Amino acid sequence: MTSHDPNLSRRPSKGLLGWLRGAGREEDRPQEDESPDTAVMLDPRHLARSQLLTDIADFLLAHDLEINPITLGVAHNYLTGGDGSMTRSIDQRIQSRQPLTLEWIELILRENGSDQSEFLNRLMNRLESNIEAFDRTSTAAKTAASEYGDALSAHVDGLEEMKPANVAANTGELVQELVSIARTMLERTASLERDMARSMLETRALRRSLEQARRSAEEDHLTGLPNRRAFEHRFAAEFAGARDAGDQLAVAFCDIDNFKRINDEHGHEAGDRVLRNVASALTRISDDRCHVARHGGEEFVVLLRGRSLHQAWELLDDARAALAERRMVNRATDMPIGKVTFSAGIADVFSFADSRAALRAADRALYRAKAEGRNRVIVAEPSPEERARNRPVSK
């Protein structure tokens, strides 16, 4: 109804009350067979979102992909055209009848310079900011509605004390109408307050879901360990902290020996179980000064602070030896997998030019361990120039 509606100038008795109750008029109410849920389902935007979710699920199931932040993001971009380069790569992969795997997707993302986890993190940061702003607004609105409701209720009580018997008849009729109007406003205010309270609960539930999604974005879905992105954040923090405190810091790359053969002979389910077992063996040595992460594929990375290089080597080598003592069996076929081992390269971080140089040195030492027979831990040797370099002085 607009301000120039002629009906406004011909308001009958109780018309203002009727106008205030407009949202509840019989002709405006949904029919009995049209529930609010049905109205939502018929919303084109809701239908489009529902269809996109269905398409994403179909895409992941059709290609037997795990459900995690990376695959969800890739599926969304592929189906919506959000990443042209990735879309072309996937189309070429499908046309060549090659499988879409998580390892291949991660490789393409790295080659394209994309960081799906970083994208997801930025998205969640924006969502979280919006949610916080909405929560503050909701809280303020709920408080205002409550205070307004209390004040209105007091006015209604005061109006009701003005009985028509104590005043002129026409004044009494007007008071009664005002009481009815005020009661209607009070009911709608109470309804608004309930709606705001419900919205606040939903907002807080969404924030908890976002926090869980953020943790998921930094967690390897198979082993439960932190992933490569989480490790890089941890490494940067530990490097700065150890440098400033004058602590020792070592980093090691660990790679499962003959993992491709295990996958080829026993299948990917057995390979996944081997990955989880190696992750478990490394987790046993982790604490608040020793951090383990899955770096990708069959490779893990370990960060050890506050131990000498020899102590760090001993700890890692004990984990290697304990794993090598075990014998695994393929539960699906009862065929023995045999001894599972890993090779590792470890480096004293502050014996090298910077943190990246230390990582490269540990990686080179890992390749030496593979070349020298596997199932061993090799210490990275700094060059004479690096050996002569002074350890950074703590601030």
Side-chain angles (χ1 to χ4, degrees):
M1 186 176 291
T2 62
S3 59
H4 60 270
D5 190 304
N7 291 327
L8 282 178
S9 61
R10 299 193 303 270
R11 182 181 65 83
S13 179
K14 309 291 185 182
L16 179 58
L17 180 59
W19 177 68
L20 283 169
R21 289 175 173 162
R25 289 180 302 180
E26 201 65 40
E27 60 269 28
D28 291 338
R29 292 176 185 161
Q31 299 299 316
E32 291 183 358
D33 58 348
E34 290 185 7
S35 66
D37 290 341
T38 304
V40 171
M41 291 300 293
L42 293 177
D43 184 340
R45 291 171 299 178
H46 179 87
L47 292 173
R49 290 194 297 268
S50 178
Q51 184 60 52
L52 179 58
L53 286 173
T54 300
D55 292 343
I56 289 173
D58 289 344
F59 178 88
L60 296 179
L61 291 172
H63 296 287
D64 195 24
L65 289 169
E66 295 286 343
I67 300 173
N68 63 46
I70 292 177
T71 57
L72 285 171
V74 167
H76 179 274
N77 284 340
Y78 177 74
L79 293 167
T80 61
D83 186 338
S85 177
M86 174 58 77
T87 298
R88 288 190 295 274
S89 298
I90 291 176
D91 285 340
Q92 291 169 4
R93 185 84 171 177
I94 293 173
Q95 289 166 9
S96 64
R97 299 186 180 280
Q98 293 179 282
L100 296 185
T101 63
L102 180 59
E103 290 74 15
W104 177 83
I105 288 173
E106 290 176 336
L107 175 64
I108 294 299
L109 287 172
R110 286 196 296 272
E111 289 178 352
N112 291 345
S114 301
D115 188 341
Q116 200 70 23
S117 295
E118 185 61 33
F119 165 78
L120 182 64
N121 192 56
R122 290 197 303 271
L123 176 62
M124 288 190 294
N125 281 334
R126 289 199 301 271
L127 285 173
E128 195 167 45
S129 297
N130 291 339
I131 287 172
E132 287 176 356
F134 177 74
D135 195 18
R136 288 193 298 270
T137 302
S138 298
T139 301
K142 181 177 180 294
T143 301
S146 179
E147 292 173 353
Y148 174 68
D150 290 342
L152 191 57
S153 179
H155 283 298
V156 168
D157 292 340
L159 285 170
E160 285 186 316
E161 292 176 1
M162 298 175 61
K163 298 301 181 183
N166 301 328
V167 294
N170 58 341
T171 305
E173 183 179 350
L174 176 60
V175 168
Q176 288 299 98
E177 180 173 355
L178 288 174
V179 168
S180 297
I181 292 170
R183 281 209 173 278
T184 300
M185 293 175 68
L186 184 59
E187 290 170 3
R188 294 181 66 181
T189 301
S191 176
L192 174 62
E193 189 176 352
R194 289 192 297 270
D195 290 343
M196 295 302 293
R198 184 167 57 250
S199 295
M200 289 170 62
L201 289 174
E202 292 171 353
T203 300
R204 287 163 187 166
L206 180 56
R207 178 183 285 113
R208 288 193 295 272
S209 297
L210 281 175
E211 290 170 355
Q212 184 177 355
R214 187 189 299 278
R215 288 193 297 271
S216 177
E218 294 195 344
E219 181 181 285
D220 175 59
H221 66 282
L222 179 64
T223 63
L225 290 174
N227 60 18
R228 178 175 180 169
R229 180 173 176 275
F231 165 75
E232 289 176 350
H233 289 167
R234 169 64 71 174
F235 188 29
E238 292 293 337
F239 179 85
R243 179 194 58 201
D244 293 346
D247 290 343
Q248 293 178 301
L249 187 66
V251 65
F253 280 118
C254 310
D255 190 90
I256 301 174
D257 296 323
N258 302 309
F259 185 71
K260 185 177 184 303
R261 177 185 59 77
I262 294 172
N263 265 338
D264 291 344
E265 292 182 4
H266 299 279
H268 289 284
E269 288 188 9
D272 288 349
R273 183 167 165 250
V274 167
L275 282 167
R276 285 192 289 267
N277 272 271
V278 173
S280 177
L282 291 172
T283 299
R284 291 190 187 98
I285 68 172
S286 67
D287 54 28
D288 60 347
R289 307 279 279 182
C290 175
H291 307 283
V292 180
R294 185 182 178 194
H295 203 250
E298 64 269 30
E299 192 172 73
F300 299 84
V301 62
V302 183
L303 192 61
L304 304 104
R305 179 173 170 179
R307 294 179 175 87
S308 69
L309 182 61
H310 180 70
Q311 290 171 331
W313 177 89
E314 281 188 327
L315 188 66
L316 190 58
D317 195 61
D318 286 346
R320 177 205 58 77
L323 178 69
E325 290 295 320
R326 302 179 57 187
R327 295 295 182 272
M328 292 185 62
V329 174
N330 185 343
R331 291 175 178 172
T333 62
D334 288 331
M335 294 290 293
I337 295 174
K339 181 167 68 173
V340 174
T341 63
F342 67 79
S343 302
I346 188 168
D348 177 357
V349 173
F350 293 121
S351 292
F352 297 88
D354 53 40
S355 59
R356 293 292 136 190
L359 287 173
R360 290 192 295 271
D363 197 41
R364 289 195 299 270
L366 167 62
Y367 277 96
R368 277 184 51 206
K370 293 282 189 181
E372 293 179 13
R374 300 184 177 89
N375 190 25
R376 63 196 65 210
V377 181
I378 296 290
V379 174
E381 295 290 340
S383 66
E385 293 80 9
E386 289 169 325
R387 194 184 299 278
R389 187 176 62 86
N390 292 328
R391 180 186 179 88
V393 178
S394 61
K395 294 180 181 179

